[in-house]
Amino acid sequence: MSLVFLSEVDSTNSWLIRNAATLKDADAVYTDNQTAGRGRKGRVWENQPGAMLCLSMLIRRPLADPTTLPLLSSLAAADAVEQLCGCRGEIKWPNDLLLQGKKICGILCESLLSGADACYIPGIGINLAQPADFFAARGLPHGGSLLSLTGVSCDLKTAAEALYDALLRRLDAFAAGGFPAIAAEYRAACVNLGKEVYTDTLRGTAVAVDDAGRLVVRTAEGETAVFTGEVTVRGIY
Ligand code: BT5
């Protein structure tokens, strides 16, 4: 397994997808200049060269529950951020990491299926040093960086190693046990619980994250479990 720096790349996820055939389990790449960073559902992950960490890992081993890889990744990102700046941050279900209510980290997990060989790619972007102007200029009032929010300046390599190690530390237990292996810590970090949330189709109070990693929303009609990736949950910013 290895962690390799790329000076510039379109997307670290796309790079791993293109090169998957030659890579081993837990090989990872990172950059601070991602020219076509991707968010979920075709959205864009905004780049400022030199001010962010973009890291993706290839997981080439069976996962008990791949659908909850985004939740595992957000917990690993929280570990890394805590190590780097002493603040743990909060997770907005399913996988955005917030500090002081601002999104400092976004996660895009993708899978590659070819025959019996399944690979999973968690791609994690952490805003290290963009100033408030960066977010204002791009219409991202809910975005923030470690430097702008905490005053802590992080070296790229140190940040990449912290994130890579955090992912590796959690991977064995998660691969074997799925979400239940991380559920207690995830729930403790989840900012939605007890708060009002709404999606395109329902509005209510988030009361739990169940053992499948779904957000359980209580409405006047009863409780509904929302699947990862199925909806966008609002009401936190
Ligand atoms: C995400 O999507 O937040 C996933 C971002 C994943 C980026 C990583 S970097 C390494 C790897 N390689 C890639 O190409 N991608 C991954 P989503 O939940 O869809 O949120 C996207 C939305 O976040 C955008 O529509 C903006 O509103 C907002 N956004 C974009 N850039 C941002 C930034 N740098 N900081 C905070 N918010 C941002």
Side-chain angles (χ1 to χ4, degrees):
M1 67 185 82
S2 66
L3 174 64
V4 170
F5 169 69
L6 304 172
S7 57
E8 181 186 305
V9 66
D10 53 350
S11 150
T12 52
N13 272 30
S14 303
W15 192 95
L16 284 186
I17 290 169
R18 286 194 297 272
N19 293 282
T22 63
L23 299 172
K24 300 184 301 298
D25 180 49
D27 282 347
V29 291
Y30 71 99
T31 188
D32 60 356
N33 189 11
Q34 184 174 250
T35 56
R38 297 187 282 113
R40 297 178 302 159
K41 299 179 184 163
R43 291 187 283 259
V44 170
W45 186 248
E46 299 284 353
N47 184 45
Q48 176 166 336
M52 49 211 302
L53 167 64
C54 303
L55 181 149
S56 303
M57 177 187 277
L58 186 82
I59 298 174
R60 172 163 266 151
R61 65 171 100 169
L63 296 182
D65 181 7
T67 60
T68 55
L69 183 60
L71 287 72
L72 178 274
S73 305
S74 65
L75 209 48
D79 295 343
V81 165
E82 183 172 31
Q83 188 182 325
L84 293 168
C85 69
C87 317
R88 184 140 180 85
E90 295 175 307
I91 297 170
K92 175 177 164 290
W93 184 92
N95 60 211
D96 285 349
L97 185 64
L98 314 184
L99 261 190
Q100 301 167 26
K102 302 275 191 189
K103 176 166 169 172
I104 54 155
C105 168
I107 291 170
L108 172 68
C109 291
E110 298 183 291
S111 52
L112 264 179
L113 303 172
S114 96
D117 184 26
C119 297
Y120 307 97
I121 298 177
I124 302 175
I126 298 182
N127 296 323
L128 297 179
Q130 302 97 320
D133 290 0
F134 166 86
F135 300 100
R138 286 161 181 78
L140 300 172
H142 307 304
S145 69
L146 298 190
L147 181 64
S148 68
L149 295 168
T150 70
V152 175
S153 170
C154 302
D155 161 70
L156 177 70
K157 184 163 184 279
T158 306
E161 287 172 356
L163 180 57
Y164 182 72
D165 289 348
L167 276 168
L168 273 189
R169 251 196 320 273
R170 290 189 176 275
L171 206 48
D172 286 345
F174 175 76
F179 185 68
I182 56 162
E185 284 179 279
Y186 182 89
R187 289 172 185 135
C190 182
V191 69
N192 302 89
L193 296 180
K195 305 228 173 80
E196 292 300 302
V197 294
Y198 62 99
T199 71
D200 290 341
T201 53
L202 58 91
R203 175 181 287 267
T205 305
V207 292
V209 178
D210 70 13
D211 279 347
R214 299 174 302 181
L215 188 68
V216 181
V217 180
R218 182 178 297 148
T219 66
E221 285 76 44
E223 291 187 355
T224 306
V226 177
F227 282 97
T228 306
E230 188 180 76
V231 292
T232 301
V233 165
R234 306 182 187 86
I236 290 299
Y237 293 127

Tab-separated table of all heavy atoms in Angstrom, residues 11-13 34 37-40 43-46 52 54-56 96 103 106-108 123-125 127 130 134-135 140 143, ligand 1:
chain	number	residue	atom	x	y	z
A	11	SER	N	-9.086	14.831	-11.102
A	11	SER	CA	-9.800	14.396	-9.905
A	11	SER	C	-9.067	13.181	-9.362
A	11	SER	O	-8.739	12.265	-10.137
A	11	SER	CB	-11.242	14.030	-10.280
A	11	SER	OG	-11.765	13.029	-9.428
A	12	THR	N	-8.797	13.167	-8.076
A	12	THR	CA	-8.091	12.013	-7.507
A	12	THR	C	-8.944	10.744	-7.629
A	12	THR	O	-8.407	9.654	-7.822
A	12	THR	CB	-7.682	12.277	-6.042
A	12	THR	OG1	-8.835	12.722	-5.310
A	12	THR	CG2	-6.581	13.305	-5.962
A	13	ASN	N	-10.269	10.876	-7.539
A	13	ASN	CA	-11.125	9.693	-7.760
A	13	ASN	C	-10.961	9.185	-9.196
A	13	ASN	O	-10.791	7.990	-9.428
A	13	ASN	CB	-12.600	10.046	-7.542
A	13	ASN	CG	-13.038	9.888	-6.092
A	13	ASN	OD1	-12.232	10.060	-5.184
A	13	ASN	ND2	-14.302	9.578	-5.882
A	34	GLN	N	-6.612	20.151	-7.749
A	34	GLN	CA	-7.523	19.243	-8.440
A	34	GLN	C	-8.376	20.091	-9.390
A	34	GLN	O	-9.217	20.872	-8.965
A	34	GLN	CB	-8.385	18.535	-7.390
A	34	GLN	CG	-9.299	17.489	-7.962
A	34	GLN	CD	-10.022	16.710	-6.883
A	34	GLN	OE1	-9.744	15.552	-6.690
A	34	GLN	NE2	-10.946	17.344	-6.198
A	37	GLY	N	-12.505	18.673	-9.795
A	37	GLY	CA	-12.986	17.923	-8.628
A	37	GLY	C	-14.487	17.709	-8.721
A	37	GLY	O	-15.226	18.602	-9.116
A	38	ARG	N	-14.895	16.519	-8.344
A	38	ARG	CA	-16.312	16.163	-8.481
A	38	ARG	C	-16.977	16.004	-7.119
A	38	ARG	O	-16.394	15.440	-6.196
A	38	ARG	CB	-16.436	14.852	-9.265
A	38	ARG	CG	-15.904	14.966	-10.677
A	38	ARG	CD	-16.177	13.733	-11.501
A	38	ARG	NE	-15.273	12.637	-11.210
A	38	ARG	CZ	-15.627	11.492	-10.640
A	38	ARG	NH1	-16.881	11.276	-10.275
A	38	ARG	NH2	-14.744	10.537	-10.425
A	39	GLY	N	-18.210	16.521	-7.018
A	39	GLY	CA	-19.046	16.260	-5.854
A	39	GLY	C	-20.045	15.175	-6.214
A	39	GLY	O	-19.911	14.504	-7.247
A	40	ARG	N	-21.035	14.973	-5.399
A	40	ARG	CA	-22.046	13.958	-5.687
A	40	ARG	C	-23.012	14.499	-6.740
A	40	ARG	O	-23.160	15.703	-6.907
A	40	ARG	CB	-22.799	13.596	-4.403
A	40	ARG	CG	-21.874	12.959	-3.346
A	40	ARG	CD	-22.617	12.655	-2.069
A	40	ARG	NE	-23.228	13.849	-1.498
A	40	ARG	CZ	-24.242	13.819	-0.643
A	40	ARG	NH1	-24.751	12.682	-0.251
A	40	ARG	NH2	-24.732	14.947	-0.155
A	43	ARG	N	-22.185	17.412	-9.082
A	43	ARG	CA	-21.822	18.736	-8.579
A	43	ARG	C	-20.302	18.909	-8.599
A	43	ARG	O	-19.554	17.957	-8.756
A	43	ARG	CB	-22.382	18.926	-7.162
A	43	ARG	CG	-23.911	19.022	-7.166
A	43	ARG	CD	-24.444	19.375	-5.794
A	43	ARG	NE	-24.439	18.252	-4.885
A	43	ARG	CZ	-25.518	17.523	-4.572
A	43	ARG	NH1	-26.688	17.802	-5.080
A	43	ARG	NH2	-25.414	16.522	-3.718
A	44	VAL	N	-19.881	20.161	-8.448
A	44	VAL	CA	-18.444	20.492	-8.555
A	44	VAL	C	-17.845	20.656	-7.160
A	44	VAL	O	-18.491	21.216	-6.269
A	44	VAL	CB	-18.291	21.820	-9.349
A	44	VAL	CG1	-16.858	22.342	-9.285
A	44	VAL	CG2	-18.719	21.611	-10.797
A	45	TRP	N	-16.612	20.152	-6.987
A	45	TRP	CA	-15.854	20.439	-5.759
A	45	TRP	C	-14.850	21.524	-6.104
A	45	TRP	O	-13.939	21.322	-6.891
A	45	TRP	CB	-15.162	19.182	-5.235
A	45	TRP	CG	-14.484	19.390	-3.910
A	45	TRP	CD1	-13.151	19.374	-3.674
A	45	TRP	CD2	-15.122	19.658	-2.657
A	45	TRP	NE1	-12.914	19.619	-2.338
A	45	TRP	CE2	-14.102	19.803	-1.690
A	45	TRP	CE3	-16.456	19.807	-2.250
A	45	TRP	CZ2	-14.364	20.082	-0.350
A	45	TRP	CZ3	-16.712	20.077	-0.919
A	45	TRP	CH2	-15.687	20.210	0.015
A	46	GLU	N	-15.051	22.709	-5.546
A	46	GLU	CA	-14.276	23.890	-5.947
A	46	GLU	C	-12.828	23.797	-5.478
A	46	GLU	O	-12.543	23.400	-4.352
A	46	GLU	CB	-14.914	25.155	-5.367
A	46	GLU	CG	-16.337	25.416	-5.835
A	46	GLU	CD	-16.432	25.967	-7.251
A	46	GLU	OE1	-15.368	26.273	-7.836
A	46	GLU	OE2	-17.566	26.090	-7.752
A	52	MET	N	-5.877	23.193	-0.457
A	52	MET	CA	-6.771	22.108	-0.046
A	52	MET	C	-6.127	20.748	-0.184
A	52	MET	O	-5.172	20.573	-0.930
A	52	MET	CB	-8.065	22.159	-0.861
A	52	MET	CG	-7.872	22.280	-2.347
A	52	MET	SD	-9.229	23.187	-3.098
A	52	MET	CE	-10.609	22.164	-2.601
A	54	CYS	N	-6.959	16.960	-1.349
A	54	CYS	CA	-7.877	16.062	-2.049
A	54	CYS	C	-7.208	14.697	-2.046
A	54	CYS	O	-6.092	14.554	-2.576
A	54	CYS	CB	-8.090	16.517	-3.492
A	54	CYS	SG	-8.704	18.205	-3.605
A	55	LEU	N	-7.847	13.728	-1.443
A	55	LEU	CA	-7.225	12.403	-1.295
A	55	LEU	C	-8.240	11.320	-1.621
A	55	LEU	O	-9.399	11.400	-1.195
A	55	LEU	CB	-6.717	12.244	0.140
A	55	LEU	CG	-6.006	10.936	0.498
A	55	LEU	CD1	-4.933	11.193	1.589
A	55	LEU	CD2	-6.955	9.841	0.980
A	56	SER	N	-7.813	10.327	-2.385
A	56	SER	CA	-8.669	9.177	-2.679
A	56	SER	C	-7.881	7.902	-2.443
A	56	SER	O	-6.684	7.837	-2.717
A	56	SER	CB	-9.152	9.200	-4.131
A	56	SER	OG	-9.835	10.398	-4.420
A	96	ASP	N	-20.936	14.998	5.294
A	96	ASP	CA	-20.218	16.285	5.285
A	96	ASP	C	-19.640	16.522	6.673
A	96	ASP	O	-20.310	16.279	7.674
A	96	ASP	CB	-21.172	17.446	4.954
A	96	ASP	CG	-21.531	17.495	3.479
A	96	ASP	OD1	-20.898	16.785	2.686
A	96	ASP	OD2	-22.462	18.252	3.132
A	103	LYS	N	-18.974	23.860	6.206
A	103	LYS	CA	-18.503	22.620	5.578
A	103	LYS	C	-17.020	22.739	5.255
A	103	LYS	O	-16.621	23.545	4.415
A	103	LYS	CB	-19.318	22.365	4.303
A	103	LYS	CG	-18.875	21.166	3.489
A	103	LYS	CD	-19.929	20.797	2.457
A	103	LYS	CE	-19.447	19.780	1.451
A	103	LYS	NZ	-20.503	19.268	0.569
A	106	GLY	N	-15.799	17.495	2.069
A	106	GLY	CA	-16.825	16.812	1.292
A	106	GLY	C	-16.306	15.451	0.864
A	106	GLY	O	-15.089	15.262	0.703
A	107	ILE	N	-17.217	14.521	0.686
A	107	ILE	CA	-16.822	13.135	0.400
A	107	ILE	C	-17.619	12.576	-0.771
A	107	ILE	O	-18.846	12.749	-0.834
A	107	ILE	CB	-17.026	12.264	1.667
A	107	ILE	CG1	-15.995	12.699	2.716
A	107	ILE	CG2	-16.887	10.773	1.343
A	107	ILE	CD1	-16.191	12.131	4.078
A	108	LEU	N	-16.905	11.963	-1.688
A	108	LEU	CA	-17.537	11.288	-2.827
A	108	LEU	C	-17.001	9.865	-2.868
A	108	LEU	O	-15.812	9.656	-3.115
A	108	LEU	CB	-17.184	12.019	-4.128
A	108	LEU	CG	-17.623	11.318	-5.421
A	108	LEU	CD1	-19.149	11.325	-5.540
A	108	LEU	CD2	-17.002	12.006	-6.643
A	123	GLY	N	-13.329	9.267	-1.806
A	123	GLY	CA	-12.593	10.479	-2.176
A	123	GLY	C	-12.962	11.575	-1.191
A	123	GLY	O	-14.143	11.856	-0.975
A	124	ILE	N	-11.949	12.171	-0.599
A	124	ILE	CA	-12.187	13.108	0.505
A	124	ILE	C	-11.484	14.425	0.202
A	124	ILE	O	-10.294	14.454	-0.134
A	124	ILE	CB	-11.641	12.521	1.831
A	124	ILE	CG1	-12.313	11.164	2.093
A	124	ILE	CG2	-11.869	13.485	2.994
A	124	ILE	CD1	-11.766	10.428	3.316
A	125	GLY	N	-12.234	15.517	0.297
A	125	GLY	CA	-11.646	16.841	0.117
A	125	GLY	C	-11.726	17.605	1.427
A	125	GLY	O	-12.810	17.723	2.008
A	127	ASN	N	-10.796	21.293	3.142
A	127	ASN	CA	-10.364	22.674	2.908
A	127	ASN	C	-9.346	23.046	3.975
A	127	ASN	O	-9.689	23.142	5.153
A	127	ASN	CB	-11.558	23.628	2.998
A	127	ASN	CG	-12.579	23.360	1.914
A	127	ASN	OD1	-12.221	23.031	0.783
A	127	ASN	ND2	-13.852	23.501	2.257
A	130	GLN	N	-8.166	27.965	2.467
A	130	GLN	CA	-8.802	29.034	1.689
A	130	GLN	C	-9.296	30.134	2.632
A	130	GLN	O	-9.832	29.849	3.701
A	130	GLN	CB	-10.005	28.514	0.894
A	130	GLN	CG	-9.702	27.394	-0.086
A	130	GLN	CD	-10.012	26.030	0.507
A	130	GLN	OE1	-9.741	25.777	1.675
A	130	GLN	NE2	-10.581	25.162	-0.297
A	134	PHE	N	-12.620	33.225	-0.742
A	134	PHE	CA	-12.745	32.108	-1.691
A	134	PHE	C	-14.184	31.596	-1.689
A	134	PHE	O	-14.776	31.377	-2.757
A	134	PHE	CB	-11.773	30.995	-1.286
A	134	PHE	CG	-12.018	29.662	-1.964
A	134	PHE	CD1	-11.456	29.385	-3.204
A	134	PHE	CD2	-12.809	28.688	-1.364
A	134	PHE	CE1	-11.679	28.158	-3.833
A	134	PHE	CE2	-13.031	27.463	-1.983
A	134	PHE	CZ	-12.472	27.203	-3.218
A	135	PHE	N	-14.732	31.410	-0.490
A	135	PHE	CA	-16.082	30.851	-0.403
A	135	PHE	C	-17.116	31.889	-0.854
A	135	PHE	O	-18.083	31.550	-1.536
A	135	PHE	CB	-16.343	30.361	1.031
A	135	PHE	CG	-15.377	29.292	1.446
A	135	PHE	CD1	-14.278	29.590	2.244
A	135	PHE	CD2	-15.509	27.997	0.985
A	135	PHE	CE1	-13.358	28.608	2.602
A	135	PHE	CE2	-14.593	27.005	1.320
A	135	PHE	CZ	-13.513	27.315	2.138
A	140	LEU	N	-20.464	30.121	-1.816
A	140	LEU	CA	-20.496	29.011	-0.851
A	140	LEU	C	-20.529	29.577	0.578
A	140	LEU	O	-19.549	29.483	1.322
A	140	LEU	CB	-19.253	28.118	-1.018
A	140	LEU	CG	-19.037	27.453	-2.378
A	140	LEU	CD1	-17.672	26.769	-2.439
A	140	LEU	CD2	-20.156	26.443	-2.642
A	143	GLY	N	-19.323	27.252	3.374
A	143	GLY	CA	-18.009	26.617	3.314
A	143	GLY	C	-17.010	27.308	4.228
A	143	GLY	O	-17.131	28.501	4.527
B	1	BT5	C1	-19.232	16.688	-1.969
B	1	BT5	O1	-20.293	16.625	-2.826
B	1	BT5	O2	-19.141	17.405	-1.014
B	1	BT5	C2	-18.117	15.748	-2.378
B	1	BT5	C3	-16.813	16.417	-2.584
B	1	BT5	C4	-15.730	15.385	-2.760
B	1	BT5	C5	-14.427	15.994	-3.129
B	1	BT5	C6	-13.340	14.960	-3.125
B	1	BT5	S1	-11.775	15.674	-3.315
B	1	BT5	C7	-11.071	14.143	-3.615
B	1	BT5	C8	-12.048	13.375	-4.485
B	1	BT5	N1	-11.881	13.669	-5.889
B	1	BT5	C9	-12.976	14.225	-6.424
B	1	BT5	O3	-13.112	14.559	-7.629
B	1	BT5	N2	-13.906	14.384	-5.473
B	1	BT5	C10	-13.455	13.881	-4.199
B	1	BT5	P1	-21.711	17.222	-2.502
B	1	BT5	O4	-22.226	16.692	-1.211
B	1	BT5	O5	-22.468	16.951	-3.734
B	1	BT5	O6	-21.443	18.751	-2.303
B	1	BT5	C11	-21.045	19.553	-3.376
B	1	BT5	C12	-21.436	20.958	-2.983
B	1	BT5	O7	-20.546	21.431	-1.955
B	1	BT5	C13	-21.311	21.943	-4.120
B	1	BT5	O8	-22.457	21.962	-4.920
B	1	BT5	C14	-21.106	23.241	-3.360
B	1	BT5	O9	-22.342	23.730	-2.862
B	1	BT5	C15	-20.299	22.810	-2.141
B	1	BT5	N3	-18.858	22.973	-2.344
B	1	BT5	C16	-18.143	22.863	-3.500
B	1	BT5	N4	-16.845	23.028	-3.277
B	1	BT5	C17	-16.712	23.255	-1.945
B	1	BT5	C18	-15.611	23.485	-1.089
B	1	BT5	N5	-14.353	23.489	-1.531
B	1	BT5	N6	-15.871	23.659	0.230
B	1	BT5	C19	-17.116	23.641	0.717
B	1	BT5	N7	-18.199	23.430	-0.037
B	1	BT5	C20	-18.007	23.228	-1.357
